[in-house]
Amino acid sequence: MNQRAVVVSLRALLPATVTAVLAGTVLLISSGHRPTHLVAAGLACAYLVWILAEARITVRHPSQAAAENNTLLPYALSRAGTAMSAVLWPLPWERWSAWMIAPIVVFAGAVTLRLVAIRTLGRFYSHHVVRYSDHSIVGDGPYRFVRHPAYSGMVLANAAFVAFFLNPLSVLLFVMLLSVVIWRIRVEERVLWAIPAYPSYASGRARLIPGVW
């Protein structure tokens, strides 16, 4: 798929995802005003705000040609599917439990990590795999600890979201999302490895989670 077709697909997918998550939020709010459903609606709203916070980056054409165009659409589709299947499936919990606080806290921390990582990378951040002509390695902020903290935040936030809404379809789609993230990281690193400073930066730093991978 060429770059233009990918961008057009992303621009069509974004409003569809927003609409589905918003519809799920409305259904949760209208489900009898039970505490679990209201908290779930709040979490769904937070996911919606996150989507919108990245919307401009999502639909933006990269300033230079992408190094590859095969991974972005599967990545976007699996992320959208994970979110939509979570909020549109009937909520499995009828009563409030203190354990529900944990995925909410993890979600908030993970989204914050991702947004900080995006801000730290600045103009070098793109949803497309791009090597800029003046590409330099950023080792500040969360990049001091892992090579791909934006992906770390993405994976952890969606894992927490799925854990809260827990249903078989969202778990399956999250596994797909995780697989695509690993695929994208491997593709990106083949591009980044050509930057002279990257091999030394990567040495001793995990890709996603310290001590794991």
Side-chain angles (χ1 to χ4, degrees), residues 46-99:
Y47 200 105
L48 187 59
V49 170
W50 176 27
I51 292 172
L52 295 174
E54 292 190 31
R56 188 171 62 87
I57 300 172
T58 301
V59 302
R60 184 175 63 194
H61 263 290
S63 58
Q64 295 182 209
E68 68 85 37
N69 293 297
N70 296 322
T71 63
L72 183 52
L73 194 53
Y75 172 62
L77 286 168
S78 56
R79 181 193 176 184
T82 298
M84 289 188 287
S85 62
V87 299
L88 292 173
W89 195 284
L91 195 66
W93 321 116
E94 290 296 328
R95 296 163 64 177
W96 172 257
S97 171
W99 83 265

Side-chain angles (χ1 to χ4, degrees), residues 9 53 58 75 82-83 89 93 98 127 137 154 165 174 186 188 196:
S9 299
T58 301
Y75 172 62
T82 298
W89 195 284
W93 321 116
H127 286 179
I137 301 303
M154 169 65 73
F165 288 93
F174 172 73
R186 293 193 181 280
E188 285 187 18

Side-chain angles (χ1 to χ4, degrees), residues 139-147 149 201 204-210:
D140 300 329
Y143 292 90
R144 288 178 294 171
F145 307 107
V146 290
R147 301 181 217 172
Y201 164 78
R205 285 183 177 87
R207 295 176 178 87
L208 277 180
I209 302 173

Side-chain angles (χ1 to χ4, degrees), residues 177-198:
L177 172 62
L178 180 59
S179 301
V180 175
V181 167
I182 292 170
W183 176 28
R184 276 181 65 83
I185 287 174
R186 293 193 181 280
V187 169
E188 285 187 18
E189 292 212 320
R190 285 199 293 270
V191 175
L192 291 170
W193 217 263
I195 301 171
Y198 191 79

Side-chain angles (χ1 to χ4, degrees), residues 106-151:
V106 172
F107 176 83
V111 172
T112 300
L113 170 62
R114 178 169 171 82
L115 296 179
V116 168
I118 290 171
R119 183 176 180 83
T120 302
L121 208 55
R123 67 184 183 86
F124 293 126
Y125 182 82
S126 173
H127 286 179
H128 300 264
V129 179
V130 179
R131 181 188 173 186
Y132 296 95
S133 56
D134 60 343
H135 212 125
S136 61
I137 301 303
V138 175
D140 300 329
Y143 292 90
R144 288 178 294 171
F145 307 107
V146 290
R147 301 181 217 172
H148 304 281
Y151 283 134

